[in-house]
Amino acid sequence: MNQEKSVSKRYSRKIGRMGNSLGVSLPKSLAEKMNVVQGDEVEFIENAQGEVVLRKVRHLELPEHVRPEVLEAFYDVFEEDREIFEDLRDR
C-alpha cells in the first residue's frame, strides 16, 4: 500500500523586538517561495487546532460595479452563518 507522505519544512526563528512590537524574520528561501519582498503584506490565519498559516495578502481589484462595503457585508454574513452554508452544501 502506497501512502503519500506530506512533505513539510520546518523553519525556526527567534522573536525580536521591533520598536514597541515583536517581529520575526523570514528565511530567504521561504520568502522567495512565498514571492514576498519588503513592504508586502502577509496575513496569519489560525485554524481550530491553534496552528497558524502565513500567506501573502493578495489584493484584488473589484469590478467597477461592485462596492467594497457590499462585499464586506456579504463576507460578514457568510462568516456568521458558516454552519448553515456548510449544511446546505452537504445536502
Side-chain angles (χ1 to χ4, degrees):
M1 183 185 305
N2 281 342
Q3 289 183 340
E4 283 188 36
K5 291 188 178 182
S6 176
V7 177
S8 28
K9 288 189 176 183
R10 186 176 300 251
Y11 301 93
S12 177
R13 289 290 193 262
K14 290 191 178 199
I15 303 294
R17 178 145 318 268
M18 300 178 88
N20 290 328
S21 300
L22 298 176
V24 64
S25 64
L26 292 177
K28 183 178 179 182
S29 62
L30 183 58
E32 288 172 350
K33 188 177 288 186
M34 292 176 62
N35 193 28
V36 294
V37 296
Q38 184 176 345
D40 283 347
E41 188 176 358
V42 294
E43 61 185 350
F44 300 87
I45 304 153
E46 183 180 5
N47 66 20
Q49 293 77 34
E51 299 167 324
V52 177
V53 173
L54 171 70
R55 72 176 178 200
K56 181 177 180 176
V57 172
R58 307 255 188 256
H59 294 284
L60 302 175
E61 288 191 32
L62 295 175
E64 259 182 52
H65 61 280
V66 176
R67 295 192 340 248
E69 60 271 15
V70 172
L71 194 57
E72 195 170 308
F74 174 77
Y75 179 79
D76 290 343
V77 169
F78 180 80
E79 283 300 307
E80 290 172 9
D81 299 327
R82 180 181 289 275
E83 290 178 16
I84 294 170
F85 288 115
E86 288 174 356
D87 182 53
L88 288 170
R89 180 195 66 207
D90 295 337
R91 289 183 182 203

